[in-house]
Amino acid sequence: MLVETSDHLTRVADRLRAARAVTAITGAGVSAASGVPTFRGDGGLWRSFRAADLATPEAFARDPALVWEWYDWRRQTIARCEPNAAHLVLSRWTERPGFTLITQNVDGLHERAGARDVLRFHGSIWNVRCRDACHGSPPSWRDDTVPYPVLPPPCPYCGGIIRPDVVWFGEVIDPRLFARCAAATACDVFLAVGTSAVVFPAAGLVHEAKRRGAFTLEINLERTPASDLLDLSLLGPVEEVLVELDRLVRLPSTACP
Ligand code: BJW
């Protein structure tokens, strides 16, 4: 179902207010208003670069300097961006018991907005690890260097090279993290926010939530492959829709007893 009416927003707000457990998964659309490029669509990152050339282990093995140039450029871009209203609403919602925030975004803007316990499905662009998992190095560490003086950046533990600690195509989601995200599909309301819903297994979570009985909705500028399967699609800029939803959630309930 596709809607944009205030009546539907009010109904969603009623459901959110009554829900004991709410889970949201966010995608690049949530950071678009902050100036972080999305992956697909107009101006998306894949318009200028082929995913297979940059976001795969094979691409990194072939040309680590090229892949790092892309990540270094994105890190410089993100470092200049600030969280927007959508990040701020979601960060407030993470203070609510029973709320789980899963993000596919690697930009760290949810955390910068103050969100608690964010489940980072595809890792973080601000974390790195030794490409060869050398003995002396931790599994992953934070590195805010922007820009890197040398590409690919050297591993400070073995002199080899480091890689971004993100999940590339063909790589497996950390099983413990995946288990926590899968468990969060047992909820009353599941929101898919600003994601094209084409990358699995992340895109499968909303379907699993629906199968388990959750009310499922997406917030997006446009229809996605998930639209027909969800209970509701709210079409609009997430940084506006979430602010309005948040305002309505704070009002007294309008639901019939
Ligand atoms: C707005 C807005 C505004 C804009 N307001 N809205 C099942 C079926 C088919 C394929 C597979 C499958 N299972 C696995 C696969 C393979 C593959 C996959 O899914 N491929 C598909 C593309 C076909 N998946 C994988 O390889 C995954 N691993 C895996 O499955 O392991 C098991 C396995 C291993 C080996 C073999 C087989 C299985 C890993 C996926 C990793 C994805 N990694 C990336 C890069 C992360 C690092 C980095 O950032 O560089 O993650 S790709 C990229 O896509 C990134 C994103 O997190 C992800 C999702 O993108 P997202 O967030 O949805 O962004 P966009 O740009 O696509 O959409 C933005 C949306 O916002 C749009 O809809 C706009 O309209 C909207 N929007 N402004 C509201 N203001």
Side-chain angles (χ1 to χ4, degrees):
M1 189 188 297
L2 294 168
V3 293
E4 295 153 304
T5 67
S6 60
D7 180 45
H8 283 93
L9 280 175
T10 306
R11 278 179 39 209
V12 173
D14 287 339
R15 282 187 180 272
L16 286 171
R17 204 183 297 106
R20 273 177 304 172
V22 176
T23 299
I25 183 164
T26 62
V30 166
S31 295
S34 295
V36 181
T38 59
F39 290 92
R40 299 162 188 88
D42 290 343
L45 290 165
W46 298 154
R47 285 281 156 118
S48 343
F49 304 96
R50 287 201 1 232
D53 289 340
L54 296 167
T56 65
E58 293 77 17
F60 191 69
R62 196 167 50 238
D63 194 344
L66 173 72
V67 173
W68 258 118
E69 268 175 45
W70 189 56
Y71 279 94
D72 195 48
W73 168 74
R74 287 174 59 199
R75 285 163 60 105
Q76 293 178 51
T77 304
I78 294 165
R80 290 192 295 269
C81 295
E82 295 296 329
N84 65 57
H87 296 110
L88 294 175
V89 168
L90 288 167
S91 87
R92 272 203 300 280
W93 289 4
T94 63
E95 289 165 19
R96 173 184 162 157
F99 186 86
T100 303
L101 180 57
I102 304 167
T103 189
Q104 298 169 82
N105 299 344
V106 299
D107 55 35
L109 290 179
H110 284 303
E111 290 86 345
R112 280 174 54 195
R116 298 180 186 171
D117 301 326
V118 184
L119 299 176
R120 292 195 297 241
F121 207 79
H122 291 154
S124 169
I125 202 165
W126 300 110
N127 273 37
V128 296
R129 62 181 205 251
C130 176
R131 176 191 59 182
D132 302 320
C134 70
H135 286 310
S137 68
S140 174
W141 67 93
R142 173 114 187 168
D143 184 342
D144 289 333
T145 310
V146 170
Y148 280 110
V150 177
L151 296 177
C155 172
Y157 298 94
C158 70
I161 61 175
I162 56 172
R163 58 159 283 178
D165 193 12
V166 298
V167 182
W168 285 325
F169 287 114
E171 293 187 322
V172 178
I173 311 299
D174 172 63
R176 277 175 305 178
L177 177 88
F178 185 78
R180 290 180 67 192
C181 297
T185 61
C187 58
D188 302 303
V189 180
F190 189 106
L191 304 97
V193 187
T195 175
S196 57
V198 295
V199 175
F200 284 82
L205 293 173
V206 68
H207 303 304
E208 179 61 9
K210 170 106 177 138
R211 195 189 64 77
R212 296 173 86 163
F215 180 82
T216 52
L217 73 145
E218 67 178 352
I219 305 173
N220 203 305
L221 292 179
E222 58 189 27
R223 288 176 62 86
T224 73
S227 300
D228 287 338
L229 305 163
L230 306 186
D231 294 304
L232 199 62
S233 289
L234 294 174
L235 295 185
V238 61
E239 62 279 8
E240 293 176 21
V241 175
L242 276 181
V243 167
E244 180 60 7
L245 262 184
D246 186 50
R247 189 185 71 78
L248 293 169
V249 168
R250 291 159 188 256
L251 294 176
S253 172
T254 56
C256 298

